[in-house]
C-alpha cells in the first residue's frame, strides 16, 4: 500500500502565449471565474455560521474548468455535474440567489430547497444535477445523449466528474455504451489528483486517465485545467467534432482544489507546500496577469469586476435570507414510495 503523503504532485509551469480573445470576452471569462470564487468563499463563511448545512464541497482553484468549458457550449447543450457543481450551475444561468437559497434549504432554491449544495438542478437551464454519488451522473449523461441522438436534436451532453469516478464501474459502462453507439457526449474529467484523501496513484492501476477512455476507442486528450484558454479551446474543438457526429470525446482537465475535500477534512494526506505551489498557478491570477501584460485589463477593471461579483453575492445572500422554509407538512410531497399512498 502506498501512502498519499510523500507523493509530490508538482504544479505545471504557468500558461504562456497570447490570449486568443478580444478584451470583452477575455473579461467575461475572468468575471465568471471571480463570480464562482466569491460565491464559494461566502458559502464557506455561511457554512461556518451554520446558515448552510449538510455537505459543502468547494471548487476553489478549479474555476478555469467550468468557465472555459461552459462558455464553449451552447445553452441548448445538457450539463451533468457532481456535488462540486456551484460554478457549473452559476454559469449555466441559474441565478446566484437561487443557488444560495438552495444551499440554505429554502423553497426559493433551484431544487426547492430539497437538494442542497450537492443537488443543484434546473431543467430549464438544462442542468441535470448535481449528484452526490461518485460517477452517478455518467449514466444520466449517456441516457440524455441517447435521447438526443434518437431525436436528432443536435445537442451535446457535457458530463463533469472527478478523477475518482474513473475507478467506478459506472464510468466504464457509460463510456463503453457512448462509444459503441457513438453518442454525443463530452466526458469532462476534473482530475484534481485526489479522491477525498486518496491520491490518484494510490487507487489507480493506470494513472493516465486518457488511456482508460482511449481503450474504448474514444478520442481522449489531457488539458491544462488551470488555464481557462486551454480549456475553452479544447472544449470548443471537441464540441464541434461531437456535434458533427464523430462520437464521444474524453477530456481530462488537470486541475487542483485549493481547499479541503469538503467542510469535514483535516487534509492530512497532502503537504501544505504542494497546495501553496499549486496556488501560484491559480487560474484567476495567472489569467489576469496575462490579460494585463497584453493590455486587455488594468487593475481598476479587475477591481470593478471583483466588486460586481461581491455585490452579486451580497444580493444572493439577501435573497436566501428572505426565503421561506417549506412547511413541515409538505415534506412528503413528491416523495416516491413504491406501493405507498398516491
Ligand atoms: C459511489 C460512491 N462511493 C463513495 C462515495 C464517497 N465519496 C464522496 S466524494 C468521494 C471522492 C470522489 O473523488 P473525485 O471523483 O476525484 O471528485 P473530487 O471530490 O475530487 O472532485 C468519495 C469516495 C460516494 N459519494 N459515492
Ligand atoms: Mg478528485
Amino acid at each position: 500500500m502506498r501512502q498519499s503523503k510523500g507523493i509530490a504532485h508538482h504544479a505545471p509551469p504557468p500558461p504562456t502565449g497570447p490570449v486568443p480573445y478580444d478584451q470583452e470576452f477575455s473579461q467575461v471569462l475572468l468575471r465568471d471565474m471571480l463570480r464562482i470564487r466569491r460565491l464559494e468563499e461566502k458559502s464557506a463563511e455561511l457554512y461556518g455560521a451554520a446558515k448552510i448545512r449538510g455537505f459543502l464541497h468547494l471548487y476553489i482553484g478549479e474555476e478555469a474548468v467550468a468557465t472555459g468549458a461552459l462558455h464553449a457550449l451552447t445553452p441548448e447543450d445538457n450539463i451533468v455535474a457532481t456535488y462540486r457543481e456551484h460554478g457549473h450551475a452559476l454559469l449555466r444561468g441559474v441565478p446566484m440567489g437561487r443557488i444560495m437559497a438552495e444551499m440554505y434549504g429554502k423553497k426559493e432554491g433551484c431544487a426547492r430547497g430539497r437538494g442542497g449544495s450537492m443537488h443543484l438542478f434546473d431543467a430549464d437551464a438544462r442542468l441535470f444535477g448535481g449528484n452526490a454519488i461518485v460517477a452517478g451522473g455518467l449514466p444520466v449523461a449517456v441516457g440524455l445523449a441517447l435521447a438526443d441522438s434518437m431525436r436528432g436534436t443536435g445537442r451535446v451532453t457535457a458530463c463533469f466528474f472527478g478523477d475518482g469516478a474513473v475507478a467506478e464501474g459506472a464510468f466504464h459502462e457509460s463510456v463503453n455504451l457512448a462509444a459503441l453507439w457513438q453518442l454525443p457526449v463530452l466526458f469532462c474529467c476534473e482530475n484534481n489528483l485526489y479522491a477525498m484523501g486518496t491520491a490518484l496513484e494510490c487507487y489507480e492501476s493506470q494513472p493516465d486517465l486518457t488511456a482508460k477512455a482511449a481503450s474504448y476507442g474514444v478520442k481522449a486528450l489531457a488539458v491544462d485545467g488551470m488555464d481557462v484558454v486551454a480549456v475553452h479551446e479544447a472544449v470548443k474543438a471537441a464540441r464541434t467534432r461531437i456535434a458533427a457526429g464523430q462520437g464521444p470525446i474524453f477530456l481530462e482537465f488537470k486541475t487542483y482544489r485549493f481547499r479541503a475535500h469538503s467542510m469535514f477534512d483535516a487534509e492530512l494526506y497532502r503537504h501544505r507546500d504542494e497546495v501553496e505551489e499549486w496556488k501560484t498557478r491559480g487560474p484567476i491570477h495567472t489569467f489576469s496577469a496575462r490579460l494585463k501584460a497584453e493590455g486587455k485589463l488594468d487593475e481598476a477593471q479587475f477591481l470593478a469586476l471583483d466588486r460586481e461579483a461581491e455585490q452579486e453575492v451580497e444580493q444572493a445572500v439577501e435573497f436566501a435570507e428572505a426565503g421561506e422554509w417549506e412547511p413541515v407538512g409538505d415534506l412528503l410531497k413528491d416523495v416516491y414510495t413504491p406501493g405507498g399512498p398516491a
Side-chain angles (χ1 to χ4, degrees):
M1 280 272 288
R2 277 180 285 180
Q3 298 297 315
S4 294
K5 220 162 174 172
I7 298 173
H9 295 102
H10 290 296
T16 51
V19 173
Y21 314 127
D22 63 18
Q23 180 174 35
E24 191 185 343
F25 185 57
S26 299
Q27 291 199 9
V28 165
L29 293 173
L30 177 62
R31 178 202 68 191
D32 281 346
M33 290 197 284
L34 282 166
R35 291 171 70 218
I36 301 173
R37 178 71 57 98
R38 300 298 173 234
L39 166 64
E40 293 215 311
E41 286 169 344
K42 190 68 182 179
S43 305
E45 189 187 314
L46 291 165
Y47 196 89
K51 291 282 187 181
I52 296 175
R53 310 296 291 270
F55 285 97
L56 181 72
H57 306 81
L58 302 178
Y59 197 57
I60 290 176
E62 303 185 32
E63 295 93 342
V65 179
T67 305
L70 268 76
H71 277 288
L73 299 167
T74 75
E76 273 302 298
D77 291 337
N78 303 315
I79 307 293
V80 180
T82 70
Y83 44 81
R84 208 179 288 287
E85 87 289 27
H86 309 141
H88 308 72
L90 184 65
L91 301 198
R92 227 336 112 126
V94 182
M96 199 185 277
R98 296 196 64 213
I99 295 174
M100 193 57 92
E102 187 59 41
M103 293 199 265
Y104 269 60
K106 299 276 180 89
K107 258 183 9 188
E108 291 75 5
C110 58
R112 286 182 288 151
R114 290 180 167 215
S117 156
M118 299 201 284
H119 301 104
L120 302 179
F121 190 95
D122 188 337
D124 292 338
R126 308 200 71 76
L127 171 74
F128 297 100
N131 200 317
I133 306 300
V134 174
L138 283 135
V140 174
V142 172
L144 287 165
L146 176 60
D148 284 325
S149 157
M150 292 170 80
R151 290 180 182 146
T153 62
R155 283 185 190 123
V156 168
T157 297
C159 180
F160 295 84
F161 52 91
D163 45 289
V166 179
E168 292 280 354
F171 169 83
H172 295 273
E173 295 167 43
S174 302
V175 177
N176 176 57
L177 280 187
L180 182 67
W181 295 337
Q182 291 289 282
L183 299 179
V185 189
L186 177 60
F187 293 103
C188 297
C189 178
E190 302 178 307
N191 179 3
N192 59 14
L193 300 168
Y194 294 91
M196 295 183 88
T198 311
L200 182 72
E201 299 79 0
C202 299
Y203 71 82
E204 271 293 355
S205 58
Q206 169 51 280
D208 176 358
L209 302 181
T210 61
K212 296 222 160 197
S215 72
Y216 293 98
V218 168
K219 187 176 163 65
L221 298 167
V223 179
D224 181 354
M226 302 302 276
D227 177 6
V228 70
V229 174
V231 173
H232 187 67
E233 292 302 303
V235 174
K236 237 181 357 186
R239 194 201 176 281
T240 303
R241 240 184 103 109
I242 296 168
Q246 293 175 33
I249 293 184
F250 174 95
L251 295 178
E252 177 199 356
F253 299 108
K254 291 180 180 288
T255 185
Y256 201 82
R257 63 171 158 72
F258 296 166
R259 298 286 186 104
H261 166 77
S262 70
M263 304 310 279
F264 309 100
D265 172 11
E267 289 187 79
L268 300 175
Y269 49 86
R270 61 182 186 180
H271 287 287
R272 187 169 286 275
D273 294 353
E274 179 182 297
V275 183
E276 291 309 313
E277 184 182 322
W278 278 86
K279 280 187 181 169
T280 66
R281 288 280 282 100
I284 294 176
H285 86 252
T286 58
F287 189 54
S288 303
R290 282 163 90 187
L291 295 183
K292 282 181 183 169
E294 290 184 23
K296 289 177 180 162
L297 179 77
D298 61 31
E299 186 58 15
Q301 288 169 326
F302 178 89
L303 292 173
L305 291 172
D306 202 20
R307 209 165 32 244
E308 260 174 50
E310 281 180 349
Q311 280 165 359
E312 189 181 1
V313 173
E314 274 167 36
Q315 285 163 9
V317 175
E318 279 167 26
F319 180 81
E321 287 282 343
E324 289 179 25
W325 304 110
E326 187 170 6
V328 172
D330 284 356
L331 284 182
L332 288 181
K333 244 188 181 171
D334 305 326
V335 175
Y336 175 65
T337 318

